[in-house]
Amino acid sequence: MSAIRVGLADDQPLFRAGIRMILDSQDDIEVVWEASDGAEAIHSAGERPVDLILMDVEMPGVDGVEATTRILASAPPADGRQTRVVVLTTFELNDKTFKAIQAGASGFLLKNADPEFLLASIRTVHSGSAVIAPSVMTGLVERFARKTTRIDTDALAELTTRERDIFSLIVGGLSNNEIALERHVSDATVKSHVSRILGKLELRDRVQLVIYAYENGLVTPEE
């Protein structure tokens, strides 16, 4: 199996060096390029496509939000490589990080994350899933906490009654395991429901599902 090709964008040389040392210690991860700002990251991503980019949100000039938006909106490279972005920040949740998630970032990690969690996150995102730091997911759900879910809305017309129920539980912040316990079904059954929900709504992952619910008026922001 080929190594996971990674790009690293951060304006702090020491931080980049530390992350690179961690990634270079892994046989299945290869750091292809480094960038000190968003403009350089955009150029590097176009010249040398990678599987995943670790993107700092706060950078001078072109920041991580704009870089993420432009990279993910660009045409796929000739080799068909699908680039995913994992956002890095020192803040648990702010407007820029939320906008990066809206732009299509597949993960959101704090810079003080444990190295093992970082490595596991890279592999998870590369496999097609999303990763959000636990404290961040809590903040995301709290920020757009569910007060009422209008299950009969046209936005959910394609979902079955059971899928709408699972949808509400996901938006409420429950994990697959918690949903399984709540509804007395297996984890595999929940995973199957989640996969069908994402497919019908044309969403990539659970993070996009929460954003979708907010944007379609299915959740009400906390007062």
Side-chain angles (χ1 to χ4, degrees):
M1 182 180 294
S2 59
I4 303 171
R5 292 162 56 84
V6 174
L8 177 57
D10 193 285
D11 63 327
Q12 301 178 32
L14 283 177
F15 180 78
R16 292 202 311 271
I19 294 297
R20 180 157 198 152
M21 183 173 64
I22 293 171
L23 302 187
D24 283 345
S25 69
Q26 306 299 302
D27 294 334
D28 63 335
I29 299 176
E30 174 191 1
V31 178
V32 176
W33 51 258
E34 295 183 26
S36 59
D37 58 35
E40 190 177 348
I42 294 168
H43 175 76
S44 296
E47 291 291 315
R48 291 178 288 170
V50 292
D51 300 301
L52 184 146
I53 299 173
L54 295 177
M55 181 80 73
D56 181 22
V57 170
E58 301 288 345
M59 291 186 288
V62 178
D63 64 15
V65 176
E66 183 176 349
T68 295
T69 302
R70 289 169 60 179
I71 289 171
L72 296 182
S74 62
D79 64 1
R81 189 181 301 277
Q82 182 180 8
T83 300
R84 298 178 182 275
V85 175
V86 174
V87 175
L88 300 175
T89 182
T90 55
F91 303 103
E92 289 200 352
L93 186 66
N94 61 17
D95 288 340
K96 281 193 174 183
T97 51
F98 185 70
K99 287 178 181 177
I101 293 173
Q102 286 181 306
S106 298
F108 177 49
L109 302 177
L110 300 179
K111 286 190 172 184
N112 62 359
D114 183 86
E116 291 303 317
F117 185 72
L118 171 64
L119 293 172
S121 297
I122 289 174
R123 295 179 178 113
T124 297
V125 171
H126 181 252
S127 72
S129 298
V131 172
I132 301 291
S135 61
V136 175
M137 185 53 125
T138 300
L140 185 64
V141 172
E142 287 177 351
R143 180 172 179 174
F144 304 110
R146 176 169 58 91
K147 299 176 74 174
T148 58
T149 302
R150 297 191 291 279
I151 290 298
D152 60 345
T153 180
D154 290 342
L156 301 183
E158 295 297 317
L159 304 186
T160 65
T161 300
R162 173 50 66 91
E163 287 168 351
R164 295 181 188 186
D165 177 50
I166 301 297
F167 177 96
S168 297
L169 295 175
I170 295 172
V171 175
L174 274 66
S175 66
N176 284 3
N177 181 253
E178 291 169 333
I179 293 174
L181 293 174
E182 182 80 14
R183 292 296 181 261
H184 307 290
V185 296
S186 69
D187 286 353
T189 296
V190 174
K191 185 176 181 180
S192 178
H193 282 308
V194 173
S195 179
R196 285 199 296 270
I197 291 169
L198 294 176
K200 288 181 178 181
L201 298 180
E202 297 183 351
L203 302 173
R204 187 184 62 245
D205 51 51
R206 295 168 69 100
V207 177
Q208 282 199 344
L209 189 149
V210 173
I211 295 171
Y212 172 91
Y214 168 69
E215 292 179 337
N216 285 278
L218 306 178
V219 294
T220 305
E222 238 182 2
E223 294 179 352

